[in-house]
Amino acid sequence: MKASMRSRQEPRRVSNGVIIAAMLLSLCVLSIVKARYCSTPFGPGKPEDQLQEQMNSSIRMETDDERVPAVNTAQEEEEEDVEEDTGPATKEAAPAEVAANTGSGAGKKDNKSASKKKKKPTCFMTSKRSERCEVAGDIRVVGNASTIYISGLDREWTTKPYARYHDPVAMSHVREFTLKPLPSGAAAPACTKNHSVPGFVFSNRGFSGNLYHDYTDVLFPLFLSTRKFKGDVQFLLSDLKPWWVAKFRPLFRQLSKYDVVDVNNDLETHCFPRIVVGSDFHKDMGIIPSKAAGHVSTADFKRVLRNAFGLERAAASRGGATGDGKPRLLIISRKNSRRFLNEREMAAAAAEEGFEVRIAEPDQHTDMATFARLVNSADAMIGVHGAGLTNMVFLPAGAVLVQVVPFGGLEWLTRVTFKEPAADMEVRYMDYNVQLEESSLLDQYPRGHQVLVDPYAVHKQGWDALKAAYLDKQNVRLDLDRFRATLREVLAALPPAPTSTTPAT
């Protein structure tokens, strides 16, 4: 009987085994097919998301409008990674909330033990791009040794105070700080300068010196991390570049009542009641109010900039600065790649369409306050994709930004860098997508060349190939009929001039 049952079950086992094996084989085949045919950047789904996923931190945006002075320019690459922040990543897991109801039988000892386990770590990742270390107590900063001694610290921590942790190239140039337990007695470094306010350590290494990175990696994170102190905070700047500090000193004076300390070259032992090392990061060129202390926003940051640089215009209009004149168009010029080849003709066309036109080319020698006032005087600004467009932070509310997108399928890149931030800055945004006939690439490659006929195939070769083909070598000659049509759209998008009973701002 048992033998008979076994003989009946045997075919079933064999059949089940065959089914399972077939399923496993199918999964393997599907995995191979997916890896071979579905992992390319421009398959089904959003191509820009897939390209960012493929490239990860190796993708950077070339923004070479503002070059770093001669020292170490090779190290401070002027490129931007466009990988978006997808949420916090923990270096050491951030504390979870203790359950409100621990049960009627839970004693004080259990609660104390649970609380101890959930203690916030000294250093933790606030996003995949930023790490913050924060502690209060007896704190002594020996800057020239990049060491911070903290009473009661139970272990050493190391950190780099620059909001670009996802980018190993940028972070390789940032000085590391070590947080150590404060030695007892005579072994502890003696305080030579005491502070009654918190200290805040940040760096302007990495890719700073390029205007886009100045704002994305340093200034936006600095504002959202320190505005809550209302000026009662001492900035300790690592890797300080004097020309860079001078450039943004008006902003620093809005955020801190004290002069910035060159912490790496300072011989003092600074003592603080509290220290924060490293800024928070939310997104490229912007702030998420719901995540920010005091719910500060990008618009708040712009208002602080206006105060810092003495900008008078709060709002743009069709009537220009006076309300009864012409709107001003600012054309951002470039010397190197992505130049306008018919800049004068563009200016003439804009004048005929009713604009007062200004042409300007910012560089590292440009006085920031002077250029900020020029941008603030504009009702519209146009430029080819690059760091110069970062100056939109100075545009008055309601102004129009026209980003000229070079030929080569770069819409995903231009979207994350300037299109998306524009709305939070109260700036109206427009694209001008360069057609092949408007690109200098036609003079460099034969008509059937891959660079001209299949940009996405070039994208698949990686960031270096994309950058070389479409960012480093391309200039543009705008079609004046298309340009005029865009200008008419800009005029229609501008707020109407204020009435005679409403004073212009």
Side-chain angles (χ1 to χ4, degrees), residues 72-84:
N72 292 329
T73 53
Q75 294 179 343
E76 294 167 14
E77 298 181 23
E78 297 170 348
E79 303 168 341
E80 163 60 11
D81 190 315
V82 299
E83 184 184 17
E84 294 175 307

Side-chain angles (χ1 to χ4, degrees), residues 139-154:
I139 298 158
R140 309 186 186 192
V141 179
V142 183
N144 60 356
S146 301
T147 303
I148 301 172
Y149 294 97
I150 301 168
S151 62
L153 198 65
D154 57 359

Side-chain angles (χ1 to χ4, degrees), residues 9-278:
Q9 291 170 357
E10 203 62 42
R12 292 180 187 171
R13 291 176 181 171
V14 172
S15 177
N16 289 342
V18 170
I19 292 171
I20 291 170
M23 290 174 67
L24 290 172
L25 181 61
S26 299
L27 286 172
C28 291
V29 171
L30 285 172
S31 297
I32 293 170
V33 170
K34 182 179 179 182
R36 175 64 182 86
Y37 297 104
C38 300
S39 63
T40 59
F42 301 95
K46 293 183 178 180
E48 63 272 18
D49 292 343
Q50 294 180 23
L51 182 57
Q52 290 174 36
E53 187 73 25
Q54 182 193 43
M55 300 299 182
N56 200 2
S57 63
S58 66
I59 300 181
R60 299 181 189 85
M61 179 191 77
E62 168 62 21
T63 54
D64 62 356
D65 290 354
E66 184 157 341
R67 296 191 178 274
V68 181
V71 179
N72 292 329
T73 53
Q75 294 179 343
E76 294 167 14
E77 298 181 23
E78 297 170 348
E79 303 168 341
E80 163 60 11
D81 190 315
V82 299
E83 184 184 17
E84 294 175 307
D85 193 359
T86 56
T90 56
K91 179 176 183 178
E92 179 166 317
E97 292 293 328
V98 179
N101 183 6
T102 56
S104 58
K108 290 183 179 179
K109 186 175 180 181
D110 292 336
N111 285 336
K112 187 175 180 181
S113 175
S115 177
K116 202 169 184 181
K117 287 180 182 177
K118 302 299 182 183
K119 182 181 177 183
K120 191 175 185 178
T122 299
C123 299
F124 54 95
M125 300 299 292
T126 62
S127 74
K128 68 181 178 183
R129 289 176 63 144
S130 57
E131 180 178 51
R132 184 174 76 240
C133 303
E134 186 169 2
V135 67
D138 184 355
I139 298 158
R140 309 186 186 192
V141 179
V142 183
N144 60 356
S146 301
T147 303
I148 301 172
Y149 294 97
I150 301 168
S151 62
L153 198 65
D154 57 359
R155 52 161 284 194
E156 285 191 6
W157 298 80
T158 58
T159 188
K160 292 186 175 185
Y162 185 75
R164 203 170 182 80
Y165 261 77
H166 68 313
D167 191 323
V169 176
M171 297 308 292
S172 67
H173 305 306
V174 179
R175 189 184 300 263
E176 184 175 76
F177 279 78
T178 302
L179 283 62
K180 293 184 176 183
L182 181 67
S184 58
C191 297
T192 62
K193 193 160 187 178
N194 289 287
H195 301 265
S196 59
V197 299
F200 191 93
V201 183
F202 66 107
S203 173
N204 72 335
R205 197 77 165 112
F207 295 148
S208 63
N210 169 280
L211 196 61
Y212 184 88
H213 291 287
D214 290 338
Y215 280 92
T216 292
D217 301 345
V218 183
L219 300 179
F220 269 103
L222 183 68
F223 170 80
L224 72 91
S225 301
T226 65
R227 186 63 172 167
K228 61 187 177 184
F229 295 121
K230 299 180 179 178
D232 290 321
V233 61
Q234 174 65 66
F235 288 156
L236 305 171
L237 181 53
S238 174
D239 308 304
L240 182 149
K241 306 165 188 171
W243 62 269
W244 189 90
V245 173
K247 186 174 185 176
F248 295 109
R249 185 171 286 120
L251 175 59
F252 295 146
R253 285 175 176 163
Q254 293 287 312
L255 299 178
S256 173
K257 299 173 183 176
Y258 311 95
D259 291 336
V260 175
V261 172
D262 181 359
V263 66
N264 298 134
N265 296 311
D266 192 89
L267 301 179
E268 305 276 6
T269 296
H270 293 267
C271 293
F272 295 93
R274 179 183 175 192
I275 194 81
V276 180
V277 186

Side-chain angles (χ1 to χ4, degrees), residues 241-466:
K241 306 165 188 171
W243 62 269
W244 189 90
V245 173
K247 186 174 185 176
F248 295 109
R249 185 171 286 120
L251 175 59
F252 295 146
R253 285 175 176 163
Q254 293 287 312
L255 299 178
S256 173
K257 299 173 183 176
Y258 311 95
D259 291 336
V260 175
V261 172
D262 181 359
V263 66
N264 298 134
N265 296 311
D266 192 89
L267 301 179
E268 305 276 6
T269 296
H270 293 267
C271 293
F272 295 93
R274 179 183 175 192
I275 194 81
V276 180
V277 186
S279 303
D280 294 342
F281 177 91
H282 287 176
K283 61 181 181 178
D284 294 280
M285 293 281 290
I287 295 167
I288 302 172
S290 61
K291 293 174 62 178
H295 300 292
V296 295
S297 66
T298 300
D300 292 324
F301 178 68
K302 280 192 67 175
R303 279 188 281 274
V304 170
L305 279 177
R306 281 183 55 208
N307 291 334
F309 292 103
L311 307 182
E312 297 179 357
R313 293 192 72 199
S317 86
R318 258 171 253 158
T322 62
D324 57 0
K326 295 180 178 180
R328 176 173 286 183
L329 173 68
L330 176 62
I331 299 175
I332 299 294
S333 187
R334 294 175 61 97
K335 280 182 182 174
N336 301 305
S337 64
R338 283 164 279 149
R339 287 183 292 115
F340 286 124
L341 297 176
N342 57 342
E343 205 168 74
R344 291 183 179 277
E345 292 89 339
M346 290 169 56
E352 291 172 6
E353 292 296 330
F355 286 92
E356 177 193 342
V357 183
R358 293 287 185 275
I359 300 174
E361 180 186 347
D363 59 28
Q364 74 268 23
H365 303 298
T366 302
D367 178 73
M368 179 61 74
T370 301
F371 198 78
R373 287 192 290 271
L374 174 62
V375 176
N376 185 246
S377 73
D379 300 283
M381 186 171 83
I382 183 170
V384 185
H385 171 75
L389 296 184
T390 308
N391 287 290
M392 70 179 180
V393 296
F394 302 121
L395 286 171
V400 178
L401 173 70
V402 181
Q403 178 174 202
V404 176
V405 181
F407 174 82
L410 303 178
E411 291 77 11
W412 59 272
L413 176 61
T414 55
R415 170 181 57 80
V416 74
T417 49
F418 298 112
K419 181 178 182 177
E420 291 180 350
D424 290 341
M425 294 187 191
E426 301 174 326
V427 170
R428 304 186 183 201
Y429 177 89
M430 292 183 186
D431 280 324
Y432 182 104
N433 292 287
V434 171
Q435 304 299 313
L436 181 57
E437 290 71 21
E438 300 172 286
S439 172
S440 66
L441 296 177
L442 269 178
D443 302 325
Q444 302 173 43
Y445 298 95
R447 275 282 181 176
H449 196 280
Q450 185 182 64
V451 166
L452 305 183
V453 300
D454 194 359
Y456 294 156
V458 178
H459 288 210
K460 293 176 187 178
Q461 296 169 29
W463 173 253
D464 290 340
L466 179 156

